């Protein structure tokens, strides 16, 4: 079976609809075809200021949500990144083969450091992409399910894997991004020119999966569309309506042409009301399943402990090989 790996940050508590449609749904699907490893990447979360109690709670909450979304510990490996020390260890080797200028060109670092204020940004935020490279390479991943915003980091991963292999001999698999075009970028409901984001969206534009379903319905009803009235998919001319159609289509399985036909001659109000209903039907059981995992922390922690053990078996072998290739003396 080919391998899949992806990581998701536990930063904000609730996952949002962009995380779910752009990434988590693909994690669930790839369990069927791949030997899949998924990680709650808490080391990445501390690249920006964190409250310790919140981070701990949010890491368990992230795992609970991934299980509620359909990850099955019998069919994939789910673990917390800090439980597998090889991630930080391989990241060091990746830092040491990355050019300073190369790392400086990462657009996510530029965006996030600008948002935090250049002098507030940490060295950890700067080296974040090389940690992500290590995350992926440790598992010899063939496929990495992510949203469009991670494409540049995936390109860096491929470059560093090839660089290491050509300098030290074949060691790492060169992975492919698994980015589904239709859902790779879900937009903010209030500003359909920017991606929905944990850290950058306004509360009204950000659909958190764990929000009160009523509040979520309201956000859809007041989503920004345009002054036209026609319900038609056109990402350029009608980004707001197109975003709503993408969400609707992905959650229900109805094709976009089918939806365009269904709403022909009807106003935006009808589309928004129906989509609000679709969302409520989706998030209500999702919230319940998440809560059920949180109510049973022993089971949750034991799933994560087993996942970490399985992950370490693979990761320690890859790291040992990489250490050997760069010329470290074996620790016997
Ligand atoms: P931040 O703004 O802090 O970077 P985020 O909202 O981008 O947070 P991440 O934890 O960085 O969330 O991303 C988790 C996964 O969700 C990644 O694979 C990312 O590509 C994907 N993702 C995030 N936002 C979207 C979006 N709006 N549409 C599609 N995929 C997304
Ligand atoms: Mg992100």
């Amino acid at each position: 079976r080919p391998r899949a790996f992806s990581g998701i940050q536990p930063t904000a508590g609730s996952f949002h609809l962009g995380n779910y449609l752009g990434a988590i749904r693909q994690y669930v699907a790839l369990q069927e075809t791949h030997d899949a490893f998924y990680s709650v990447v808490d080391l990445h979360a501390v690249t920006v200021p964190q409250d310790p109690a919140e981070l701990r709670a949010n890491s368990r909450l992230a795992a609970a949500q991934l299980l509620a979304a359909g990850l099955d510990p019998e069919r994939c490996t789910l673990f917390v990144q800090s439980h597998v020390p090889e991630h930080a260890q391989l990241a060091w080797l990746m830092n040491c083969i990355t050019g300073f200028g190369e790392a400086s060109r990462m657009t996510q670092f530029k965006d996030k450091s600008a948002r935090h204020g250049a002098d507030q940004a940490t060295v950890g935020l700067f080296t974040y992409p090389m940690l992500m490279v290590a995350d992926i390479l440790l598992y010899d991943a063939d496929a990495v399910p992510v949203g469009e915003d991670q494409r540049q980091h995936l390109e860096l991963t491929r470059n560093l894997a090839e660089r290491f292999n050509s300098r030290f001999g074949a060691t790492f698999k060169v992975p492919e991004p698994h980015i589904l075009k239709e859902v790779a970028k879900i937009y903010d409901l209030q500003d359909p020119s920017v991606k929905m984001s944990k850290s950058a969206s306004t509360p009204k534009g950000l659909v958190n999966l764990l929000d009160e379903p009523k509040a979520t319905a309201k956000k859809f009803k007041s989503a920004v569309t345009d002054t036209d009235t026609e319900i038609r998919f056109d990402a350029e001319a009608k980004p707001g309506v197109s975003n709503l159609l993408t969400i609707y289509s992905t959650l229900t399985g109805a094709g976009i042409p089918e939806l365009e036909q269904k709403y022909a001659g009807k106003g935006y109000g009808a589309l928004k009301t129906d989509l609000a209903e679709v969302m409520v039907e989706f998030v209500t059981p999702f919230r319940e399943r998440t809560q059920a995992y949180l109510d049973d922390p022993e089971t949750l922690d034991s799933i994560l402990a087993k996942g970490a053990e399985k992950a370490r078996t693979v990761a320690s072998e890859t790291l040992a090989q990489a250490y050997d290739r760069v010329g470290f003396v074996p620790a016997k």
Side-chain angles (χ1 to χ4, degrees):
R1 273 189 156 201
R3 285 261 175 81
F5 174 88
S6 199
I8 191 155
Q9 289 195 65
T11 359
S14 177
F15 291 138
H16 61 71
L17 192 57
N19 298 143
Y20 177 70
L21 297 179
I24 299 169
R25 266 176 67 96
Q26 281 63 259
Y27 302 178
V28 176
L30 289 177
Q31 293 180 118
E32 309 304 328
T33 50
H34 288 62
D35 181 17
F37 291 77
Y38 300 120
S39 185
V40 173
V41 291
D42 52 354
L43 298 179
H44 288 273
V46 298
T47 56
V48 294
Q50 289 294 316
D51 174 75
E54 261 175 48
L55 176 61
R56 198 161 6 253
N58 283 341
S59 296
R60 290 202 175 95
L61 180 57
Q65 290 176 87
L66 290 171
L67 293 163
L71 290 192
D72 175 356
E74 300 295 317
R75 284 183 297 163
C76 72
T77 304
L78 174 63
F79 66 100
V80 174
Q81 187 185 27
S82 61
H83 292 176
V84 181
E86 286 80 2
H87 288 254
Q89 294 175 293
L90 185 62
W92 179 252
L93 294 189
M94 295 300 128
N95 283 334
C96 295
I97 61 165
T98 306
F100 194 86
E102 189 177 29
S104 307
R105 284 192 292 277
M106 294 295 117
T107 56
Q108 182 165 302
F109 171 73
K110 288 196 263 183
D111 292 348
K112 290 196 175 178
S113 58
R115 218 182 300 146
H116 291 283
D119 46 339
Q120 296 288 312
T122 65
V123 175
L125 190 64
F126 185 66
T127 61
Y128 178 120
M130 285 64 81
L131 175 58
M132 180 169 158
V133 169
D135 297 341
I136 296 166
L137 297 185
L138 278 175
Y139 300 94
D140 282 331
D142 298 273
V144 184
V146 285
E148 181 61 39
D149 61 325
Q150 294 303 320
R151 191 180 287 282
Q152 193 187 30
H153 290 160
L154 256 297
E155 208 40 58
L156 178 71
T157 307
R158 293 172 54 84
N159 289 339
L160 294 187
E162 279 165 359
R163 187 174 306 160
F164 190 101
N165 289 347
S166 77
R167 253 180 230 177
F168 301 110
T171 308
F172 297 118
K173 174 143 239 170
V174 181
E176 296 283 344
H178 178 81
I179 299 176
L180 294 194
K181 199 167 119 259
E182 298 74 20
V183 289
K185 197 167 178 187
I186 300 297
Y187 296 89
D188 184 296
L189 293 192
Q190 287 300 312
D191 181 359
S193 71
V194 302
K195 92 166 186 101
M196 189 178 287
S197 147
K198 280 182 203 152
S199 51
S201 285
T202 60
K204 281 185 75 186
L206 174 68
V207 179
N208 279 320
L209 300 182
L210 296 178
D211 284 352
E212 273 299 323
K214 266 193 199 143
T216 296
K218 216 167 131 193
K219 286 182 194 177
F220 276 94
K221 288 179 188 163
S222 56
V224 165
T225 41
D226 52 48
T227 53
D228 191 20
T229 54
E230 197 190 355
I231 295 176
R232 175 170 59 83
F233 188 94
D234 181 340
E236 299 279 298
K238 300 169 77 69
V241 178
S242 301
N243 191 40
L244 296 181
L245 286 170
T246 297
I247 295 168
Y248 199 149
S249 163
T250 313
L251 286 176
T252 60
I256 301 262
E258 192 184 321
L259 292 174
E260 287 174 333
Q261 208 166 26
K262 180 172 176 189
Y263 291 99
K266 296 187 185 155
Y268 292 157
L271 173 71
K272 290 183 191 176
T273 305
D274 289 357
L275 178 52
E277 186 55 37
V278 164
M279 267 312 289
V280 169
E281 273 167 34
F282 169 68
V283 295
T284 303
F286 175 83
R287 279 163 45 106
E288 286 165 9
R289 286 194 297 270
T290 301
Q291 191 55 51
Y293 283 105
L294 293 177
D295 289 341
D296 185 2
E298 272 169 37
T299 302
L300 187 62
D301 285 356
S302 103
I303 289 171
L304 295 175
K306 278 190 202 127
E309 199 184 316
K310 270 171 40 192
R312 276 205 86 173
T313 310
V314 176
S316 61
E317 205 171 301
T318 313
L319 182 75
Q321 199 177 22
Y323 268 21
D324 181 60
R325 290 278 152 78
V326 299
F328 292 160
V329 174
K332 282 216 172 100

